[in-house]
Amino acid sequence: MPYPEASAARTPREVLTRYYQAMIDKSPDDLADLYAADALHEFPFAAPGFPPRFEGREAVRAGYRAAWGASPAEVREVRRVAAYETADPGVLVAEHVVVGAVPGRSGEFTVPGLLVLHVRDGLLTRVRDYMDASGVADARR
């Protein structure tokens, strides 16, 4: 569980760093602990078989536990392309490329993506997660 005083001190960039680390670690708990209890995580370009949104921290935890648990894909790195500050200091837009592999399969996969993070009091309140659905489908095979 996150400590309230620790989360309050987190900037949007610090939240982004922890978000990417949770992806690399495939840790649904570390990821979910970055969210406010009533947060919304949306997937405007959801991959087939993936829900369009998770409503609430526990839905994020359960959804990623199921998705990451069902996938043999391993994230090797998250390449940061750019992070853009906005007029709202609690909103950060981040471009990245997820690089990974599937054990037993040759080669790597790449999944480009863009996150729009809304952070209040050090916790995510809303995430719009734009990812390459075809790249996700390739990584899940």
Side-chain angles (χ1 to χ4, degrees), residues 11-13 83-94 115-120 124-128:
T11 67
R13 285 185 184 269
Y84 304 98
E85 308 277 335
T86 69
D88 181 336
V91 177
L92 184 69
V93 178
L115 294 168
V116 180
L117 305 176
H118 296 252
V119 178
R120 187 178 65 242
L124 292 163
T125 58
R126 182 177 182 201
V127 174
R128 291 187 53 83

Side-chain angles (χ1 to χ4, degrees), residues 7-95:
S7 64
R10 283 189 214 138
T11 67
R13 285 185 184 269
E14 290 168 332
V15 171
L16 177 64
T17 295
R18 290 173 185 251
Y19 188 104
Y20 287 157
Q21 190 61 53
M23 290 172 62
I24 291 167
D25 296 341
K26 279 180 94 170
S27 175
D29 291 324
D30 289 348
L31 184 67
D33 288 347
L34 296 172
Y35 286 75
D38 61 349
L40 177 64
H41 187 122
E42 301 169 291
F43 301 96
F45 303 135
F50 211 77
R53 77 185 52 80
F54 295 134
E55 296 182 28
R57 176 189 304 132
E58 295 313 313
V60 169
R61 188 182 319 276
Y64 274 97
R65 180 169 283 124
W68 288 342
S71 174
E74 297 172 354
V75 174
R76 294 195 172 151
E77 74 175 298
V78 179
R79 293 183 186 148
R80 295 174 187 227
V81 175
Y84 304 98
E85 308 277 335
T86 69
D88 181 336
V91 177
L92 184 69
V93 178
E95 293 180 77

Side-chain angles (χ1 to χ4, degrees), residues 97-112:
V97 176
V98 175
V99 180
V102 176
R105 199 170 102 190
S106 64
E108 292 183 327
F109 63 82
T110 59
V111 180

